[in-house]
Amino acid sequence: MEEENMLDNKVVKLSCFIMVLSALFTLTTPVFSEESMYIPIPSYRVGPYAAGGTGYYGGILDYYSLLNERDGGVGGVKLTWSECETEYSVERGVECYKRMKDREGGALFFDPLSVGIAIALNEVVRNDQISQITVNHGMSETIDGEVFPFAFPLGMGVPDEYNATVRFMAYLESGEDPNTVDLAKALNGKKIVTLHHGSPYGKEALGYMTAMGEEYGFEHTTIEVPHPGNEQQAQWLKIRQIKPDFVFLRGWGVMNPVAMQTASRMGYPVNRLIGNIWSNSDEDVIPAGAAAHGYQAITTHPAGVFTRVQDEIIHELYSKGKGDLDDKSRLGSVYHNLGITAGIMHVEAIRNAQKRWGEGKKLTAQQVRWGFENIRFDEKRIAEVGAEGLLAPMLVTCKDHVGGHNSKFQKWDADKRQWEIVTPWIRSQAPTDKLFASAENYRTDNQIEKRDCDDPQQRDNWKLSKDEPEVPAGVSTWGG
């Protein structure tokens, strides 16, 4: 009898344990519909970079949820997802990819928001034939779709960022239009320091800025800040010795407000501290307080709530308690707005693929890859998705996997706690010949098969069968 009671207790405890595990699983995994398309979310909601992760993936998930709530998904097929916490760690990011790539019939694509994770997975996704999306970042050579057919650094490449930033600095020196300013005339003899995060992201393409200095006559110095960046005294002492005309901040997370505060303490004018695309958010400037007043940074996605798509997200989700952000004051923040634009890009690729393979069907990763390669956002299409002023024009092609190359600059008003746009769209004039040459060297070194974008079969049916549906008129971006 005692043995039976002990057995019953064990059964009860085991049942309770299973119920707890089931509840935990339900909390982190959405219910999948009978017909759905799965997208993995390799988020980071904890750690020193959580502000970026929660904002970016919050914007993506809000856009997905809007389409599910309002439209029943995309082309009649619901979007589903699950999250895996990476903590911005390369090892965790790779593990998350391996765990999620085959779920629910296979992931459509992977968007890790990390240069380190992206570089670690470049050849893995090629082998798995799953697109990797790196909005406004990534390995610069992945612009070349002939060598990197499964990598999409959408929006703005790192050389674009450097080129636009130097143009903005020249504009501040001369007052001339940043799109047409004479860089050599405005910057010859000037000193520029790049203060960068000590990670693959922070170090990406630093040589490009040095090359610009050699071409236009300014002196360029790089100074690294070790992860996570909350101690910068030594770096700013060196900056004070150099006495640069500008400091270009390629920071991330806690490094950014610390840079502004340290610059202020050292007496360096914060309006000469120019932030890059990952140093441009509310979460970067607000913690810095008054020290951030006048700080300026590049952006592809202005802050604020001013578009129809944002209004719809607020109405359909947040007014009903369904939004992803816990703090509603972050609606309209730079990171959340970037997430919305990334979600729009993701879905546009799905829509492109549906135009070719049919609506109401569950697509494959290879089909959606083709969709990414034919993204076209002109003014008309941007208006149709309700993102006027938020999303920059884009034209992704087989050869150009960046597609955007456009940016603006914004200035922070600490008293009003808001950003002000201070330039028109600046079109990058960064030369791409060295990037394509570097991509070719990578291909040769790694013995990678190269496709020919001028061959319609290789361009439109890469890793697909030869009897795929014809490309619908007006969908392909090849030839502009």
Side-chain angles (χ1 to χ4, degrees):
M1 188 64 160
E2 185 177 345
E3 289 181 355
E4 290 180 359
N5 287 337
M6 289 177 64
L7 180 60
D8 288 342
N9 288 336
K10 288 180 180 178
V11 171
V12 169
K13 289 178 181 178
L14 180 60
S15 298
C16 291
F17 179 67
I18 292 171
M19 290 174 66
V20 169
L21 284 180
S22 177
L24 286 172
F25 183 77
T26 303
L27 285 172
T28 58
T29 307
V31 176
F32 294 101
S33 62
E34 193 169 323
E35 187 71 299
S36 62
M37 292 183 286
Y38 172 68
I39 303 170
I41 303 296
S43 60
Y44 37 98
R45 296 183 180 270
V46 298
Y49 310 109
T54 55
Y56 181 74
Y57 291 109
I60 288 174
L61 295 182
D62 280 342
Y63 188 68
Y64 292 173
S65 296
L66 170 66
L67 298 185
N68 281 347
E69 292 283 326
R70 187 190 66 191
D71 306 333
V74 182
V77 183
K78 283 285 186 79
L79 301 178
T80 56
W81 56 86
S82 62
E83 292 193 41
C84 183
E85 175 63 48
T86 72
E87 295 186 22
Y88 195 66
S89 159
V90 172
E91 293 76 15
R92 286 177 180 266
V94 171
E95 181 60 30
C96 284
Y97 171 80
K98 292 177 179 178
R99 289 182 183 181
M100 297 192 289
K101 68 184 180 74
D102 295 319
R103 289 196 61 181
E104 299 302 316
L108 292 187
F109 52 85
F110 194 69
D111 186 339
L113 193 62
S114 163
V115 175
I117 296 172
I119 291 175
L121 289 174
N122 265 337
E123 295 311 310
V124 179
V125 297
R126 185 196 301 274
N127 183 65
D128 293 338
Q129 298 180 23
I130 296 174
S131 296
Q132 182 165 239
I133 314 306
T134 54
V135 177
N136 290 343
H137 66 291
M139 196 170 84
S140 299
E141 294 86 346
T142 56
I143 184 177
D144 189 348
E146 288 187 324
V147 177
F148 298 96
F150 292 96
F152 290 89
L154 300 174
M156 181 177 68
V158 177
D160 295 327
E161 177 184 79
Y162 287 133
N163 188 273
T165 300
V166 168
R167 292 188 166 279
F168 180 61
M169 292 172 180
Y171 154 73
L172 292 177
E173 287 293 307
S174 67
E176 297 179 13
D177 184 336
N179 285 296
T180 58
V181 63
D182 185 328
L183 297 182
K185 183 179 179 180
L187 295 176
N188 185 52
K190 303 296 182 182
K191 296 179 180 179
I192 299 174
V193 167
T194 296
L195 185 68
H196 66 90
H197 192 267
S199 65
Y201 141 69
K203 299 173 184 178
E204 178 64 23
L206 287 172
Y208 181 80
M209 184 69 114
T210 300
M212 288 190 74
E214 293 171 355
E215 181 175 359
Y216 298 113
F218 63 82
E219 179 184 321
H220 180 232
T221 304
T222 63
I223 299 176
E224 180 174 324
V225 176
H227 159 84
N230 53 1
E231 177 50 59
Q232 300 177 32
Q233 189 74 11
Q235 287 83 358
W236 280 96
L237 284 172
K238 186 174 181 180
I239 289 171
R240 188 162 67 178
Q241 292 173 348
I242 295 171
K243 297 180 181 178
D245 296 278
F246 295 98
V247 174
F248 181 39
L249 178 61
R250 284 185 54 78
W252 187 223
V254 297
M255 173 180 165
N256 294 322
V258 171
M260 296 170 214
Q261 291 169 330
T262 311
S264 180
R265 285 200 307 271
M266 291 285 184
Y268 189 82
V270 176
N271 64 353
R272 290 274 163 159
L273 177 63
I274 312 299
N276 84 324
I277 199 69
W278 303 108
S279 307
N280 70 352
S281 75
D282 306 60
E283 292 83 356
D284 296 320
V285 290
I286 290 175
H293 186 71
Y295 173 75
Q296 300 177 96
I298 195 171
T299 186
T300 59
H301 43 283
V305 177
F306 53 89
T307 65
R308 189 179 79 247
V309 67
Q310 292 168 295
D311 290 339
E312 291 172 345
I313 285 172
I314 292 170
H315 175 72
E316 292 290 339
L317 302 179
Y318 285 89
S319 66
K320 302 172 185 178
K322 297 181 179 180
D324 189 79
L325 292 178
D326 293 329
D327 181 0
K328 291 184 182 180
S329 71
R330 296 183 68 194
L331 289 167
S333 65
V334 171
Y335 286 144
H336 191 254
N337 284 1
L338 176 60
I340 293 173
T341 62
I344 292 172
M345 296 175 200
H346 296 168
V347 170
E348 193 71 3
I350 295 171
R351 293 191 193 280
N352 284 343
Q354 287 181 332
K355 289 176 183 176
R356 185 177 179 188
W357 282 279
E359 292 188 352
K361 297 179 180 179
K362 188 171 183 175
L363 299 168
T364 67
Q366 293 87 344
Q367 291 167 343
V368 174
R369 190 214 67 80
W370 181 88
F372 275 112
E373 201 165 79
N374 288 278
I375 290 177
R376 182 198 308 268
F377 279 116
D378 54 17
E379 291 183 5
K380 180 176 181 292
R381 183 59 185 147
I382 291 171
E384 288 172 351
V385 298
E388 292 171 287
L390 179 64
L391 182 64
M394 290 182 66
L395 183 72
V396 184
T397 70
C398 178
K399 190 67 176 174
D400 179 3
H401 276 197
V402 174
H405 311 287
N406 295 291
S407 58
K408 294 182 179 182
F409 281 79
Q410 58 187 11
K411 178 186 285 188
W412 178 250
D413 188 319
D415 298 324
K416 296 180 180 178
R417 290 169 67 93
Q418 67 182 33
W419 292 99
E420 174 194 1
I421 296 296
V422 293
T423 69
W425 286 115
I426 299 174
R427 176 73 176 177
S428 168
Q429 298 174 38
T432 58
D433 53 340
K434 291 183 180 179
L435 293 180
F436 287 108
S438 181
E440 179 62 22
N441 290 337
Y442 180 96
R443 184 192 72 80
T444 303
D445 292 344
N446 292 278
Q447 299 181 326
I448 293 169
E449 177 185 12
K450 182 178 181 178
R451 63 178 177 151
D452 181 1
C453 284
D454 289 317
D455 182 332
Q457 181 63 32
Q458 292 191 31
R459 182 175 67 243
D460 294 323
N461 294 322
W462 187 250
K463 300 304 179 182
L464 294 165
S465 66
K466 293 184 178 180
D467 57 353
E468 297 293 337
E470 291 292 322
V471 177
V475 179
S476 174
T477 57
W478 189 247

